[in-house]
Amino acid sequence: MTKSSPDAGLTKPFDVVILSSVEWDAAWQRHHAFAALWARAGHRVFFVENTGFREPGWRDLGRVALRLRRAWRGRRFRPARAPKGISVVSPLVLPPTRRLFRETNASLLAPRLADLLHDRGLRRGPVVFAYLPTATTLALLDRLSASLVVYDCVDNFYGLPVPPENLAATEAALMSRAGLVLTTSRTLYEDKKDLHPNVVELHHGVGPAFFLPPHAPRPARRLCYFGTVWRALDYAPLRALAAAGFPVDLIGPVKDYPLLPNSVRLLGPVAHEDLPEILGGYDALLLPYVDDEYNRGVIPAKTYECLATGLAVLASPLPALAGLSGVITLCRAPQDWVDAARALDRDSEEARRARVAAAREHAEESVFARLCALVAAAR
């Protein structure tokens, strides 16, 4: 490892464990980006898929069945498109929602999961990135002998419709074990800064492939949202845009099937590395989110990827996006979205350059260099 490498402040490669809140094949998020960056830098990465946060419902049956199949396959489970150096582990644990479940996890299932990680080659002293403040996470940390625990807070858990009763206690316990707390937005930073001595706001960066060349305007302006289609989205702007005659595509996995006109196409998920070329076929990108307590702390993981394309970005006025109002068009009422889409004809090269410049401030390489420096200082 040379002194010019992003993690030059780290003396030698170490193991990294990502205790994720999503599956590996979910829409590409910060969890995946950090895992890929650590692996690219020569560290062995163990990506543990979602260990659960809430009581599963009937809509989760397919996901539960998939988890059981993956757990049954054990070492033979190898997800598609996992970069070299990343071992993806599909954990067999119970949701931490009931006392019996938590006790079973702590006494039986978490130790088995830790043994599985060690069987895969995990060494003592890993750096552990924890995404879920749950009893399951705490039980795993008891078994992993981490040299550093990083609580990477990417969600406003208190804004969920029914947050767990023990959330404050488990989050406090996780923060007491963490040497570093990361947040993705200013609102989450403000929430956590007085609860831990080392809280840093850090957004994951945007890769070079998303910096697209400019293209000439097209007669029919095509609009696109990419990411998970689920309850956090506001569908009223999409219906208004479709009614105004704008073609709208939604690219990504579908958790909830919304009631939308036929002119709004659900195209399903695509591989993250294929997205830049696909996005080049659109004229504006959409970030439509409902105004609720959960989204108050969210900055969409795709924000700087959208800006890097140079395309116009229309977004709901999330608090975390307020600082980007100069390069993102914030829309409140559905008609505002329609007006902004019609104004695309007046979008300028100067505005495009400003969006790209904002994205370059969060280029993947510089963000990872900062992350490495934070980890090195905290270890």
Side-chain angles (χ1 to χ4, degrees), residues 97-176:
T97 52
R98 306 184 186 192
R99 180 177 177 180
L100 177 61
F101 291 172
R102 292 192 292 270
E103 291 177 348
T104 303
N105 283 338
S107 63
L108 179 63
L109 299 181
R112 286 186 176 181
L113 178 54
D115 289 344
L116 175 60
L117 288 167
H118 291 126
D119 288 345
R120 294 267 186 109
L122 178 67
R123 297 167 294 204
R124 289 182 61 85
V127 172
V128 179
F129 286 78
Y131 286 85
L132 289 174
T134 64
T136 310
T137 296
L138 299 176
L140 281 169
L141 292 177
D142 288 340
R143 303 276 176 167
L144 294 182
S145 302
S147 61
L148 173 67
V149 175
V150 180
Y151 175 29
D152 197 5
C153 183
V154 302
D155 289 293
N156 180 24
F157 295 109
Y158 295 92
L160 293 172
V162 186
E165 293 182 359
N166 63 344
L167 175 57
T170 53
E171 184 177 60
L174 175 56
M175 293 180 82
S176 71

Side-chain angles (χ1 to χ4, degrees), residues 312-349:
V313 181
L314 315 184
S316 300
L318 301 179
L321 294 178
L324 294 170
S325 59
V327 289
I328 290 178
T329 302
L330 301 178
C331 308
R332 297 186 180 275
Q335 185 59 43
D336 296 338
W337 292 78
V338 175
D339 293 342
R342 288 173 175 160
L344 290 174
D345 292 336
R346 300 192 296 274
D347 194 37
S348 66
E349 176 60 23

Side-chain angles (χ1 to χ4, degrees), residues 69-258:
R69 289 197 299 271
R70 288 179 172 180
W72 177 259
R73 291 173 64 187
R75 281 180 172 271
R76 294 172 295 163
F77 168 59
R78 293 289 185 274
R81 300 179 184 269
K84 182 180 179 181
I86 298 179
S87 178
V88 179
V89 178
S90 195
L92 187 58
V93 293
L94 297 171
T97 52
R98 306 184 186 192
R99 180 177 177 180
L100 177 61
F101 291 172
R102 292 192 292 270
E103 291 177 348
T104 303
N105 283 338
S107 63
L108 179 63
L109 299 181
R112 286 186 176 181
L113 178 54
D115 289 344
L116 175 60
L117 288 167
H118 291 126
D119 288 345
R120 294 267 186 109
L122 178 67
R123 297 167 294 204
R124 289 182 61 85
V127 172
V128 179
F129 286 78
Y131 286 85
L132 289 174
T134 64
T136 310
T137 296
L138 299 176
L140 281 169
L141 292 177
D142 288 340
R143 303 276 176 167
L144 294 182
S145 302
S147 61
L148 173 67
V149 175
V150 180
Y151 175 29
D152 197 5
C153 183
V154 302
D155 289 293
N156 180 24
F157 295 109
Y158 295 92
L160 293 172
V162 186
E165 293 182 359
N166 63 344
L167 175 57
T170 53
E171 184 177 60
L174 175 56
M175 293 180 82
S176 71
R177 301 185 187 201
L180 172 65
V181 176
L182 301 177
T183 66
T184 54
S185 68
R186 175 56 45 169
T187 47
L188 287 176
Y189 172 80
E190 294 294 334
D191 288 347
K192 309 301 179 188
K193 67 178 183 179
D194 295 329
L195 303 177
H196 192 277
N198 191 15
V199 180
V200 178
E201 179 184 352
L202 182 71
H203 196 279
H204 83 259
V206 52
F210 281 87
F211 290 91
L212 303 179
H215 64 73
R218 287 174 277 255
R221 295 310 185 104
R222 301 178 63 212
L223 314 178
C224 173
Y225 162 84
F226 66 95
T228 302
V229 179
W230 68 309
R231 63 167 186 82
L233 296 188
D234 185 357
Y235 298 110
L238 304 182
R239 288 190 283 266
L241 289 166
F246 290 96
V248 178
D249 291 343
L250 308 183
I251 299 174
V254 180
K255 285 188 176 180
D256 300 302
Y257 283 89

Side-chain angles (χ1 to χ4, degrees), residues 203 205-207 210-212 224-227 272 275 279 283-289 300-315 321 324 327-328 352 355-356 358-359:
H203 196 279
V206 52
F210 281 87
F211 290 91
L212 303 179
C224 173
Y225 162 84
F226 66 95
H272 187 253
L275 263 175
L279 297 181
D283 299 281
L285 302 175
L286 309 176
L287 297 174
Y289 292 89
K302 63 188 75 66
T303 299
Y304 293 105
E305 293 174 344
C306 290
L307 290 170
T309 67
L311 302 175
V313 181
L314 315 184
L321 294 178
L324 294 170
V327 289
I328 290 178
R352 191 195 74 83
R355 291 189 285 266
V356 173

